Amino acid sequence: MAKMVYFDRVATALLAPEAKKAVANFMNDSVGNPSAHIHSAGIAAGTYVDKSRTSVAGLINAGVNEIFFTSGATESNNLALKGFLSEKNSGEIIISEIEHYSILDQINNPALDRFDIKTLKVDRNGLVIPEKLEEIITDETVLVSVIMASPEIGAVQPIKEIARICRKHGVTFHSDATSAVGYIPIDVKGLGLDMMTFSSQTLGGPMGVGALYVNSTISLNPLFDGGNQEMGFRPGTENLPGIVGFGAACQAISPMMADKSSRLTELGRKLWRGIEENIEHIEFTGHRESRLPGHVSFWHRFVEGESLLLHLNMKGVIAASGSACSSNLKGSDEHDLRASHVLTAVGVPEEYCSGSITFSLDYYNSEDEVNYVIDILPEIVHRLEAMSPVYEDYMKQREKHGR
Ligand code: PMP
């Protein structure tokens, strides 16, 4: 199989053909600045933005005036937390222990020292237990933020239940749904979300554009000063090509999403079973059922995740080890070798965190590709095991004890 088998959708999905076409058409059109709505070129640009906003809102059942375009999920997470908290003097914030760094780093920033931070633990399957939230939420809590689905371990949280508890206590609830939107059906109203982060690139749109859903009852301050774009929430001229592609990707996913995502679930299950039946010394991470469609993640006791990735890459297969977003240390080209906080949260011993692998499939992936990975993976793992001194010791012990 010469072509690339791309199983790293949660880092970025490949550009959907519909998004590619929409961006190309836009680039060939002569449009002005959407803020210049006094002339036809500005009005034409504004029409592109409106159309995209409608498609993006439609995918998650939001009102069109509840979608704010940003530069991506990192900015959306910053707008949600900083924008919401800027007018509050004190209180408690509750976040799960498996948030993305764009939430965690804000919480650890001294700028939020005026708030008490509480952490919501997850169980060994990576799931928040709603009763635990009930135990720690108080009259002082101003904001709860829980990631909808972990890109690393695939676990999908009981968001509706968490939202119900927040609502009961009058607490604003934000969820980072970057890995989930477009792959599991999301109805922000039905789920009871106040704010939700998502991005274009993880669902087949271009990079560098994202969105924040903000329920019309919630008030926020913008992160930046300088203009009235995005209904005053996000000044600066919009990234029009990005927004156009984002809208087209959302529109392409919307029809038959439930069917498409159940096919993806089946492919993921097939891959899971193929790995389970053919490879020893592994443990899967995340919940077996409550997980992203097409997402399979595990760790191996004797094999480095990065070595596995490189060998897979030589065979044309692209996957991830740990979190794609944190594989480089801040401000350097060096790889971050610290154990992932997500893996340690679900009980993976620190010394084994480097053995983690994540496959995240997309709608266009085929059963043949899954079969190919199931075929080549055992041989790669055996080759790497043979190079591991720890594995050699383990095998000697096993022989000695006759097992
Ligand atoms: N949140 C989650 C859950 C993510 O997986 C990512 C990275 N894909 C981000 C936030 C940050 O996204 P971006 O780099 O597009 O800002």
Side-chain angles (χ1 to χ4, degrees):
M1 186 174 286
K3 81 176 181 60
M4 171 174 79
V5 175
Y6 188 80
F7 283 180
D8 195 13
R9 189 280 295 172
V10 292
T12 193
L14 300 180
L15 202 56
E18 294 86 350
K20 211 179 273 185
K21 196 167 158 203
V23 176
N25 286 345
F26 168 79
M27 291 301 205
N28 283 317
D29 202 355
S30 306
V31 296
N33 187 317
S35 296
H37 30 71
I38 195 76
H39 56 62
S40 54
I43 293 168
T47 307
Y48 275 108
V49 178
D50 293 346
K51 189 169 167 245
S52 279
R53 204 185 306 278
T54 305
S55 304
V56 172
L59 185 62
I60 58 164
N61 192 32
V64 274
N65 292 333
E66 295 174 318
I67 295 294
F68 302 95
F69 289 119
T70 63
S71 65
T74 300
E75 187 187 325
S76 297
N77 279 340
N78 275 269
L79 179 58
L81 267 60
K82 291 196 176 79
F84 178 75
L85 296 168
S86 61
E87 279 180 356
K88 309 239 173 306
N89 294 324
S90 60
E92 293 168 355
I93 304 170
I94 300 177
I95 61 158
S96 87
E97 58 180 336
I98 59 166
E99 294 303 306
H100 184 262
Y101 283 107
S102 51
I103 296 286
L104 284 183
D105 285 356
Q106 293 189 74
I107 294 295
N108 293 328
N109 190 315
L112 289 190
D113 274 356
R114 65 186 191 282
F115 296 97
D116 290 327
I117 311 299
K118 288 181 171 173
T119 308
L120 198 49
K121 298 249 175 263
V122 294
D123 66 14
R124 291 187 82 83
N125 293 318
L127 293 184
V128 161
I129 316 278
E131 293 75 37
K132 299 271 179 213
L133 174 61
E134 217 26 301
E135 282 167 21
I136 61 172
I137 200 165
T138 70
D139 291 348
E140 301 300 311
T141 311
V142 290
L143 180 70
V144 171
S145 188
V146 174
I147 191 166
M148 189 172 291
S150 164
E152 230 172 313
I153 59 170
V156 174
Q157 301 299 336
I159 291 295
K160 194 168 182 174
E161 189 51 16
I162 297 170
R164 191 191 61 75
I165 295 168
C166 291
R167 190 139 297 187
K168 189 172 101 189
H169 290 267
V171 174
T172 299
F173 177 39
H174 166 257
S175 181
D176 175 357
T178 306
S179 309
V181 175
Y183 295 85
I184 56 176
I186 294 173
D187 170 348
V188 285
K189 307 287 178 195
L191 287 173
L193 285 158
D194 294 311
M195 295 188 276
M196 188 180 81
T197 288
F198 56 117
S199 91
S200 155
Q201 75 185 61
T202 43
L203 55 76
M207 294 181 192
V209 58
L212 182 66
Y213 156 75
V214 185
N215 185 289
S216 53
T217 58
I218 303 291
S219 87
L220 284 190
N221 283 321
L223 291 176
F224 316 121
D225 298 315
N228 272 327
Q229 287 90 345
E230 291 303 295
M231 299 162 261
F233 278 92
R234 210 267 182 175
T237 299
E238 298 85 344
N239 166 7
L240 244 78
I243 289 172
V244 166
F246 189 8
C250 289
Q251 208 183 8
I253 285 176
S254 287
M256 316 262 294
M257 190 176 118
D259 286 353
K260 285 194 268 192
S261 104
S262 59
R263 180 188 156 267
L264 199 49
T265 300
E266 281 316 310
L267 283 186
R269 286 190 179 144
K270 179 162 197 183
L271 181 58
W272 184 302
R273 284 194 303 272
I275 293 171
E276 194 170 39
E277 284 162 13
N278 295 299
I279 299 174
E280 274 191 290
H281 317 300
I282 59 166
E283 267 187 47
F284 290 94
T285 49
H287 195 275
R288 194 166 186 140
E289 296 301 322
S290 184
R291 65 184 302 114
L292 286 170
H295 187 290
V296 180
S297 53
F298 62 91
W299 56 277
H300 192 285
R301 282 181 66 182
F302 306 112
V303 169
E304 289 284 328
E306 288 203 356
S307 312
L308 203 48
L309 274 195
L310 292 175
H311 281 78
L312 281 168
N313 200 170
M314 285 190 273
K315 296 267 187 189
V317 179
I318 313 287
S321 173
S323 162
C325 326
S326 67
S327 61
N328 270 1
L329 279 174
K330 232 177 198 173
S332 101
D333 290 335
E334 279 176 46
H335 273 232
D336 186 349
L337 296 177
R338 287 170 302 177
S340 145
H341 63 287
V342 178
L343 296 177
T344 51
V346 293
V348 181
E350 243 179 70
E351 65 274 27
Y352 294 132
C353 285
S354 59
S356 85
I357 281 283
T358 298
F359 293 113
S360 51
L361 280 59
D362 208 340
Y363 292 130
Y364 52 79
N365 287 125
S366 67
E367 195 168 349
D368 281 353
E369 291 177 323
V370 169
N371 289 335
Y372 174 65
V373 173
I374 295 172
D375 257 14
I376 62 165
L377 196 57
E379 202 267 318
I380 295 177
V381 171
H382 292 151
R383 208 159 357 121
L384 291 171
E385 280 172 343
M387 292 178 340
S388 157
V390 196
Y391 180 70
E392 201 182 320
D393 285 350
Y394 167 82
M395 289 309 277
K396 278 189 194 144
Q397 290 296 325
R398 201 154 97 160
E399 268 167 40
K400 200 166 134 195
H401 295 103
R403 275 181 278 137

